[in-house]
Amino acid sequence: MLITDAVQSQAARNPDKTAIFDDTCQITYRELYHRIKKAANFLLTYYENDFDPEATITIVGFLLNNRVELIEFFLAATKIGLCSAIFDPKWSDVNIETIINECKLKVLIVDTELLPRLTNIPVTTKVIAINTKNPLASSANTSHSDGCNEDEPKRASTNGSLFYMGYTSGTTGKPKGFLRSQQSWIESFSMAQQVFSLNEDNQVMAPGPLVHSLTLYAAIQTLYFGGTFHLTSKFKRELALEWLASNPITHIYLVPTMFEAIYNSSISRPLGSCAPTVQSLITSGDKWTPESKQKVKQVFENAGIFEFYGASELSFVTVLDPEGNSQKPDSIGKPFAGVEVSIRKQDGQEASEGEIGQVFIKSKMIFSGYYHNEDETRQVLQGEWATVGDLAMRDSDGFLYMVGRKKNMIISGGLNIYPEEIEKVLLMLDQIEEAVVVGVPDSYWGQKVVALIKLRDGAVLDNQEIKALCRRHLASYKCPKEIIRVASFPYTTSGKISRTKVSELI
């Protein structure tokens, strides 16, 4: 069943059930499907003569903050076979304008408050401004009992339609657009349903920005299964606590840093008894430390942790479920449902137990390629298999352990060093809030290991303590040859430390 077909089915079966619950209103499935049709017909007024049967993709652009219109128009575009390109307001003005020009947009849907940033876009791009008073998607007449008074659009999508273009974080200049077909997401819905036990009774919260794949995926997946999605305008830990205390949330999609923020805010306001309905924390992004995961029961007393490793290009790869978290919290789990994982050495042979190799996967959830970037697409898609260059090893029980990214590897004195291993040791010191390790060109070593650290407010830490810790836990050649203290780090738009920018600064 296609994505909007599932929403239409819910509108017929449970018309008065709440589909989306946001900061200002509740939208039923009847209202949501009506708005989708209304928005789809609106888009067709611009695109009905522009569908090229030979073209593989026709794009509509979005530059919106977290608001229900993004979900409505995304689903509307999906219904009629358009590909939604989701642009991040956190990008620089130059990146926004460059990518808009690259996409050759017929229509750009934008928040009114972001309009002043659009100073150099093609005159052929129709800009549709959205604000709280704009009646375009929100004034649907729902007086008809079936909520379906708007005509069905005259054009429909297919399983193979390229319906979503998200973007990488852009650590090396302009972000790259990655393309997904409807079928790849529908397949991932099916696999996730098995792993996370999802159903139409779910009340799902994903407090991150919709421009990030994790949050948008959580929203569309929830609506596909007929649950209720709780949309927050932005992540603020105090608001998240209030929302959790007043709504029967069952599943939360978040990144580890969000949990830490909620935990720190809840210390003075115990939340466990206020959020007993939360069954699952579904998390991705940076590896969640075992020390942080141990705090979960203090905040969500009935919640299990599902930590998955994946990538925008690969979708789900592995998952560490609640049982795995109790057994091997340092691992990234076992292959996700529907995923075959191969760990290969440099010679292409399968790595043995305990050996480090590059992760290749095979599944029906893999992306369709990068937009206008065939060279980089070929680096990821290699026959039936795909890889983004991550390095891992497998233990005797089949659990996988992430070692690092191939592109981050440091070669010092002819030896391979994975910075993520060193960073994990540095973060064992409570005084260190953040740390990143990079290789810096060196005339003798080729590259030398340099650690940059940011201390917590008020913390005091001597370099000798740091070096002593490293000597206890790391081989001598892995120990940092230089330690640099910083007040802050440069970040990617997804909130991760930008190694590229750190290296450039050094």
Side-chain angles (χ1 to χ4, degrees):
M1 184 182 293
L2 297 179
I3 292 172
T4 52
D5 290 345
V7 178
Q8 180 181 11
S9 176
Q10 288 298 328
R13 292 171 51 237
N14 299 300
D16 296 322
K17 181 176 181 178
T18 300
I20 302 174
F21 191 171
D22 76 357
D23 296 339
T24 59
C25 66
Q26 297 183 47
I27 300 171
T28 66
Y29 272 95
R30 174 196 287 120
E31 294 167 334
L32 175 61
Y33 188 63
H34 181 84
R35 294 185 188 196
I36 291 170
K37 290 189 297 178
K38 185 181 181 74
N41 282 318
F42 172 81
L43 289 173
L44 278 176
T45 63
Y46 293 96
Y47 285 96
E48 60 184 347
N49 297 321
D50 288 333
F51 285 106
D52 181 354
E54 301 298 322
T56 58
I57 182 171
T58 305
I59 301 173
V60 57
F62 293 82
L63 184 62
L64 295 171
N65 295 308
N66 268 29
R67 55 189 310 152
V68 71
E69 286 88 354
L70 197 160
I71 296 175
E72 292 172 351
F73 273 92
F74 179 88
L75 289 169
T78 298
K79 185 171 181 62
I80 59 175
L82 296 175
C83 181
S84 297
I86 311 297
F87 308 139
D88 192 340
K90 291 181 181 178
W91 288 346
S92 69
D93 292 356
V94 171
N95 271 345
I96 289 174
E97 291 176 352
T98 299
I99 292 173
I100 288 173
N101 279 272
E102 178 185 76
C103 290
K104 297 180 173 60
L105 298 177
K106 173 72 73 172
V107 171
L108 172 64
I109 301 171
V110 60
D111 253 311
T112 302
E113 64 186 69
L114 300 174
L115 280 174
R117 299 179 62 185
L118 303 177
T119 58
N120 187 29
I121 62 172
V123 294
T124 54
T125 297
K126 174 65 176 177
V127 176
I128 308 297
I130 299 291
N131 57 51
T132 54
K133 297 180 181 180
N134 191 321
L136 184 59
S138 58
S139 65
N141 177 6
T142 57
S143 60
H144 291 204
S145 60
D146 63 356
C148 295
N149 47 303
E150 185 76 30
D151 291 337
E152 284 288 334
K154 295 178 181 179
R155 180 180 168 84
S157 61
T158 66
N159 268 339
S161 297
L162 295 175
F163 84 113
Y164 169 49
M165 181 155 65
Y167 285 84
T168 58
S169 298
T171 58
T172 55
K174 183 170 69 69
K176 290 183 298 188
F178 58 88
L179 296 162
R180 298 295 298 265
S181 70
Q182 267 205 75
Q183 186 55 46
S184 72
W185 266 33
I186 293 168
E187 181 72 19
S188 70
F189 294 163
S190 176
M191 297 300 104
Q193 185 176 34
Q194 297 178 35
V195 175
F196 304 138
S197 301
L198 303 173
N199 58 54
E200 64 182 11
D201 296 326
N202 296 154
Q203 300 261 344
V204 178
M205 178 181 178
L210 285 167
V211 297
H212 291 170
S213 295
L214 179 66
T215 305
L216 182 64
Y217 176 87
I220 304 304
Q221 177 183 255
T222 301
L223 299 173
Y224 187 83
F225 290 131
T228 298
F229 183 71
H230 294 254
L231 176 65
T232 55
S233 58
K234 61 178 62 176
F235 176 71
K236 290 185 178 179
R237 57 189 186 183
E238 294 82 5
L239 293 177
L241 285 169
E242 292 176 10
W243 198 284
L244 288 163
S246 57
N247 293 283
I249 306 297
T250 59
H251 295 68
I252 306 175
Y253 287 75
L254 77 174
V255 296
T257 51
M258 287 181 178
F259 170 76
E260 278 295 316
I262 291 172
Y263 173 80
N264 291 334
S265 185
S266 70
I267 292 175
S268 59
R269 175 188 171 183
L271 184 65
S273 60
C274 298
T277 58
V278 177
Q279 302 167 14
S280 301
L281 299 184
I282 302 170
T283 179
S284 186
D286 288 340
K287 176 64 181 164
W288 199 350
T289 66
E291 294 75 19
S292 179
K293 285 188 277 191
Q294 289 174 2
K295 305 172 186 175
V296 166
K297 291 299 180 183
Q298 299 176 44
V299 184
F300 304 107
E301 57 187 0
N302 298 319
I305 298 172
F306 291 86
E307 185 180 7
F308 73 85
Y309 152 62
S312 301
E313 299 88 343
L314 307 179
S315 189
F316 298 113
V317 177
T318 64
V319 62
L320 190 65
D321 61 16
E323 183 179 355
N325 262 299
S326 63
Q327 296 175 358
K328 305 196 178 186
D330 282 327
S331 80
I332 57 171
K334 295 183 176 182
F336 207 88
V339 177
E340 187 177 344
V341 175
S342 173
I343 299 178
R344 302 177 185 175
K345 297 182 292 184
Q346 289 187 347
D347 61 7
Q349 297 299 309
E350 191 73 17
S352 301
E353 174 190 320
E355 284 189 304
I356 295 172
Q358 187 167 333
V359 178
F360 287 78
I361 79 150
K362 184 194 296 184
S363 83
K364 296 179 181 179
M365 299 178 276
I366 295 171
F367 83 143
S368 299
Y370 295 113
Y371 182 64
H372 285 179
N373 200 331
E374 293 183 4
D375 289 342
E376 294 217 27
T377 297
R378 281 193 292 269
Q379 292 181 33
V380 177
L381 299 177
Q382 301 183 21
E384 294 184 293
W385 296 84
T387 181
V388 292
D390 286 339
L391 301 168
M393 61 183 179
R394 184 185 276 115
D395 70 12
S396 58
D397 296 318
F399 285 85
L400 276 70
Y401 296 79
M402 184 60 65
V403 175
R405 284 189 175 269
K406 188 176 181 180
K407 65 181 181 181
N408 296 337
M409 188 174 69
I410 301 167
I411 302 177
S412 183
L415 298 171
N416 294 343
I417 299 171
Y418 304 103
E420 293 87 348
E421 179 186 7
I422 304 169
E423 290 160 6
K424 183 177 178 181
V425 171
L426 293 171
L427 292 174
M428 293 169 64
L429 291 166
D430 291 337
Q431 299 97 318
I432 297 178
E433 182 176 348
E434 291 182 292
V436 67
V437 172
V438 296
V440 175
D442 183 84
S443 59
Y444 181 77
W445 295 104
Q447 285 183 299
K448 69 176 180 179
V449 178
V450 175
L452 294 90
I453 62 168
K454 175 186 174 184
L455 297 183
R456 298 186 187 279
D457 291 342
V460 177
L461 183 64
D462 186 86
N463 278 2
Q464 294 307 313
E465 294 180 64
I466 300 173
K467 292 178 179 179
L469 176 75
C470 290
R471 286 194 296 268
R472 287 197 301 271
H473 293 275
L474 297 168
S476 58
Y477 68 90
K478 297 179 182 179
C479 293
K481 291 181 168 57
E482 187 176 350
I483 296 170
I484 300 175
R485 295 163 184 260
V486 300
S488 63
F489 284 107
Y491 299 94
T492 67
T493 54
S494 59
K496 297 179 182 179
I497 296 174
S498 173
R499 294 180 189 274
T500 302
K501 292 180 181 177
V502 167
S503 295
E504 290 172 354
L505 289 172
I506 292 178

